[in-house]
Amino acid sequence: MKDKMNRILSFLIVALTFVSCSEYQKALKSEDNAFKSKVAEAKFNDGKYKKALRLYEQVAPAFKGKPNAERMFYFYAKSYYETKQYYLAGYQFESFVASYPKSEKREEAAFLAAECYYKLSPVYSLDQTDTDKALGKLQKFIDTYPNSEYLPKANEYFKDLNEKLEKKAFEIAKQYHMLADYRYEYNVALKALENFIADYPGTPFKEEAMFYRLDSAYKMAMKSIPSKKEERLNYAKTTYTSLVKFRPETEYKEKADKILADIDKELQQYTNSN
């Protein structure tokens, strides 16, 4: 009896699957856009996002600009989102927000649009154009919906992207410092590190950046022409003071103290000559 029930159940499942597939194939070939849209939503609700999207792509041009197409365009955008096509999803969500300003889904769509751009942001080592764009989209959402239920997530995304740009800026400044020994461009490295410290005062990389600034300032001073050497040595000494003031027990203390000793030794010649 149990085996018979299992066979009947299996038959029903196969039959339903066949009917569902037949309906989908019928919708693909149909000229009835309302039918296509209905089947597309059914596929979406079943988690068959690629199939739903294929149907939505067919009917979207016919519904564009029509006020009764709000539901269809929401699911259309969401289908792109669920299939991880974030460029297209972001565009469709933004289009939805613009087309249906009174929709109850407007706030969610605006957030999902911003989230799509967040997901397009690459790792910090690559070009950050999409990260800048995502920050702009998130800021717009935060300003437009300050009491949104999505605000905590939007702020989290915003913070994450800023930290990515911060790491990118630090790695660039650090690279200038690392290359300075080969190119003797200590002034370039120094400027990059100073800009980074000024632009990101609360950065977790501040201690490391301040030591690299000291190291670059010291090396630039030591290789300077006589007319500029004293001034640059004194500046290097101020960068040491800034470092130990910021972090008295810095992990770079031993190296920094050695640099300071070299600076003071060089400065003695100017003290003795005065």
Side-chain angles (χ1 to χ4, degrees):
M1 183 68 180
K2 186 177 180 180
D3 289 342
K4 184 178 180 181
M5 289 298 295
N6 286 336
R7 285 197 299 272
I8 292 172
L9 182 60
S10 297
F11 174 78
L12 289 173
I13 292 173
V14 171
L16 287 171
T17 302
F18 178 77
V19 170
S20 176
C21 290
S22 297
E23 186 179 49
Y24 173 68
Q25 292 299 326
K26 183 180 177 181
L28 283 174
K29 299 173 183 177
S30 175
E31 298 295 326
D32 186 343
N33 288 325
F35 176 61
K36 283 180 182 285
S37 182
K38 179 182 176 182
V39 175
E41 187 170 331
K43 290 298 178 186
F44 180 94
N45 290 332
D46 288 341
K48 308 293 185 182
Y49 303 118
K50 289 183 179 179
K51 288 186 175 182
L53 185 55
R54 190 175 175 189
L55 289 169
Y56 282 132
E57 286 175 336
Q58 288 184 353
V59 302
F63 283 100
K64 190 172 183 180
K66 295 184 178 180
N68 62 345
E70 176 186 329
R71 183 181 180 88
M72 189 278 295
F73 276 109
Y74 170 78
F75 282 110
Y76 181 30
K78 205 67 185 297
S79 295
Y80 277 126
Y81 178 85
E82 295 294 348
T83 53
K84 303 185 187 306
Q85 298 183 65
Y86 295 122
Y87 274 116
L88 292 169
Y91 171 79
Q92 290 298 333
F93 278 126
E94 288 187 323
S95 179
F96 178 89
V97 170
S99 300
Y100 304 102
K102 295 182 180 180
S103 172
E104 64 178 21
K105 293 288 189 180
R106 185 175 188 269
E107 181 180 321
E108 180 191 357
F111 170 72
L112 290 174
E115 185 181 53
C116 285
Y117 289 104
Y118 166 79
K119 289 178 179 293
L120 289 167
S121 173
V123 295
Y124 78 89
S125 58
L126 299 178
D127 178 76
Q128 295 300 304
T129 299
D130 283 332
T131 301
D132 290 330
K133 185 182 294 184
L135 282 168
K137 301 293 183 182
L138 285 164
Q139 186 63 65
K140 182 179 179 181
F141 176 82
I142 292 167
D143 293 342
T144 305
Y145 303 99
N147 300 311
S148 172
E149 64 178 290
Y150 303 105
L151 191 64
K153 199 66 179 177
N155 283 327
E156 178 186 326
Y157 287 159
F158 195 87
K159 181 175 180 291
D160 183 46
L161 293 178
N162 267 324
E163 288 176 350
K164 187 182 293 187
L165 290 181
E166 184 177 303
K167 184 168 179 59
K168 173 82 171 182
F170 173 68
E171 290 298 329
I172 289 172
K174 182 179 177 180
Q175 187 175 40
Y176 279 125
H177 173 263
M178 301 300 288
L179 292 173
D181 285 330
Y182 300 98
R183 299 178 178 176
Y184 299 104
E185 294 178 343
Y186 297 109
N187 58 324
V188 176
L190 187 58
K191 186 65 176 177
L193 289 160
E194 286 175 340
N195 287 341
F196 174 78
I197 293 167
D199 291 342
Y200 302 97
T203 177
F205 305 112
K206 187 171 183 177
E207 179 184 352
E208 191 174 358
M210 292 181 81
F211 172 72
Y212 289 148
R213 179 178 66 172
L214 163 62
D215 190 52
S216 290
Y218 160 68
K219 288 175 178 176
M220 183 173 71
M222 296 298 282
K223 295 180 182 299
S224 290
I225 59 176
S227 62
K228 293 184 177 182
K229 192 168 185 178
E230 182 181 9
E231 178 186 355
R232 288 178 173 177
L233 285 167
N234 280 316
Y235 175 72
K237 191 169 183 176
T238 65
T239 64
Y240 169 88
T241 302
S242 296
L243 172 62
V244 295
K245 184 178 180 181
F246 171 72
R247 190 65 49 82
E249 298 304 319
T250 175
E251 63 177 287
Y252 303 102
K253 188 71 163 57
E254 185 176 345
K255 292 180 180 178
D257 285 348
K258 185 177 183 305
I259 289 173
L260 178 65
D262 287 345
I263 291 171
D264 283 338
K265 182 178 179 181
E266 287 293 316
L267 283 172
Q268 284 179 4
Q269 62 180 302
Y270 299 99
T271 301
N272 296 335
S273 64
N274 289 336

